[in-house]
Amino acid sequence: HIGIVKFEQAICSLARIWGDSWKNKDDKKLQLDNQILPLLSLFNNESYKTSEERISWFLVKDIRGEFYELLVQTVAQYGSEEIESLRLLFEKEWNNSETSNFWPSEIRRHVIIALWLAGVNRSWVIEKLNEIEVSMINGKNIFECIEESQKQAEAFILLHEKEAANDLLNQILRLSFGVGFRKDYQLDSWIEWLNSINNIESDKTAERIEYFAQAITKLSEVADDGSMRSAAKELLAVTFKGGQEKL
């Protein structure tokens, strides 16, 4: 269980570093190379000696995004200069041909948003999100593409980038027509998500709901009646909720 053990050790290291920031409030010092860099490269390994080791690393890799968010929050306790230094370390990892493969788009997005919440320049955040978008769906199946596009749109919504979020919404709609099988309920998930974008750009709510209603009628051509009814029910719920909020 070496993967789990190393992960637990890393969490303890973060707790100790965070605690040190409280203990030494007047003289906060953080050694990025010695304390943070090893944590940054914790998951940069795909050479496993045994199947048990592979499984243990597989289990903890599922929460890489949350781990790096915690890493950013920990370094943020030491101030804006340390966050800027951490940003540069992340970029170095992403731009290095030997390590870039260990940083898929979803993990980078977690880090980018965490850095923005910690005070990193907004223009850099948007630039890096745009870089992710170029190749984020390459080699993925249709369900993974929809999920990736939805997470990207949510990031832009958080940044109040309406146009970018709208573009991704249209991409999700186009992707959703590539239904994999008759009993397909993926349309439900992004109709639920429609609330988020309607709250940001309420003036186009009616237009957007009409657009989705037309998409649901098209769904009958490629999926069963249950899928269409379920999507219609979700859209009615979103529409009703929007009407209530205006009262």
Side-chain angles (χ1 to χ4, degrees):
H1 304 294
I2 188 171
I4 295 174
V5 171
K6 285 187 175 294
F7 182 75
E8 290 175 344
Q9 290 173 341
I11 293 294
C12 290
S13 294
L14 287 178
R16 184 170 57 254
I17 293 168
W18 196 316
D20 286 344
S21 74
W22 295 344
K23 185 172 63 176
N24 305 311
K25 289 184 178 180
D26 298 328
D27 187 25
K28 295 182 181 181
K29 291 182 180 180
L30 183 61
Q31 297 178 354
L32 287 172
D33 288 344
N34 295 331
Q35 294 176 283
I36 300 302
L37 197 55
L39 300 175
L40 206 67
S41 58
L42 178 65
F43 301 98
N44 293 5
N45 177 34
E46 290 185 350
S47 299
Y48 309 111
K49 296 179 180 179
T50 65
S51 58
E52 288 81 6
E53 183 179 346
R54 180 185 297 275
I55 292 171
S56 69
W57 277 111
F58 178 78
L59 292 172
V60 296
K61 280 186 175 182
D62 278 349
I63 51 176
R64 276 179 296 175
E66 289 80 2
F67 173 79
Y68 288 122
E69 286 178 19
L70 183 58
L71 174 61
V72 172
Q73 292 167 11
T74 301
V75 174
Q77 306 307 308
Y78 290 81
S80 58
E81 289 186 7
E82 299 295 351
I83 279 292
E84 179 61 17
S85 297
L86 180 62
R87 180 187 70 81
L88 295 174
L89 284 179
F90 273 118
E91 276 203 282
K92 187 177 180 180
E93 284 281 305
W94 301 342
N95 295 331
N96 187 333
S97 60
E98 295 182 359
T99 57
S100 60
N101 289 337
F102 297 113
W103 297 90
S105 56
E106 181 179 355
I107 304 304
R108 295 190 191 198
R109 190 182 300 110
H110 267 286
V111 171
I112 291 166
I113 294 302
L115 286 169
W116 176 64
L117 293 173
V120 164
N121 185 278
R122 188 172 184 273
S123 61
W124 177 86
V125 172
I126 294 172
E127 177 189 342
K128 292 304 167 184
L129 286 176
N130 286 332
E131 286 181 8
I132 286 175
E133 196 166 327
V134 173
S135 59
M136 68 182 185
I137 63 175
N138 290 352
K140 292 181 171 63
N141 63 42
I142 189 167
F143 300 102
E144 292 170 336
C145 289
I146 290 171
E147 183 180 11
E148 192 72 21
S149 298
Q150 181 173 335
K151 289 177 179 177
Q152 183 79 350
E154 289 170 350
F156 278 120
I157 287 172
L158 188 62
L159 290 162
H160 297 284
E161 288 290 316
K162 298 179 183 179
E163 186 175 345
N166 267 327
D167 289 344
L168 283 157
L169 183 63
N170 290 327
Q171 177 171 298
I172 292 169
L173 184 60
R174 290 194 300 270
L175 288 167
S176 293
F177 285 120
V179 179
F181 43 86
R182 294 292 293 176
K183 292 184 178 180
D184 194 302
Y185 294 86
Q186 61 179 307
L187 197 59
D188 294 16
S189 62
W190 56 262
I191 288 178
E192 292 175 4
W193 171 75
L194 183 60
N195 276 319
S196 299
I197 197 165
N198 282 346
N199 289 334
I200 290 178
E201 201 174 35
S202 58
D203 58 316
K204 292 186 179 180
T205 296
E207 177 185 342
R208 201 174 288 116
I209 288 173
E210 181 182 358
Y211 187 52
F212 286 172
Q214 292 173 357
I216 291 171
T217 62
K218 293 288 185 180
L219 188 64
S220 63
E221 300 174 6
V222 292
D224 65 6
D225 290 343
S227 301
M228 187 173 68
R229 284 196 299 270
S230 180
K233 183 179 178 181
E234 290 294 342
L235 186 59
L236 284 171
V238 170
T239 305
F240 181 71
K241 183 177 180 180
Q244 281 187 318
E245 290 174 351
K246 289 181 180 180
L247 295 178

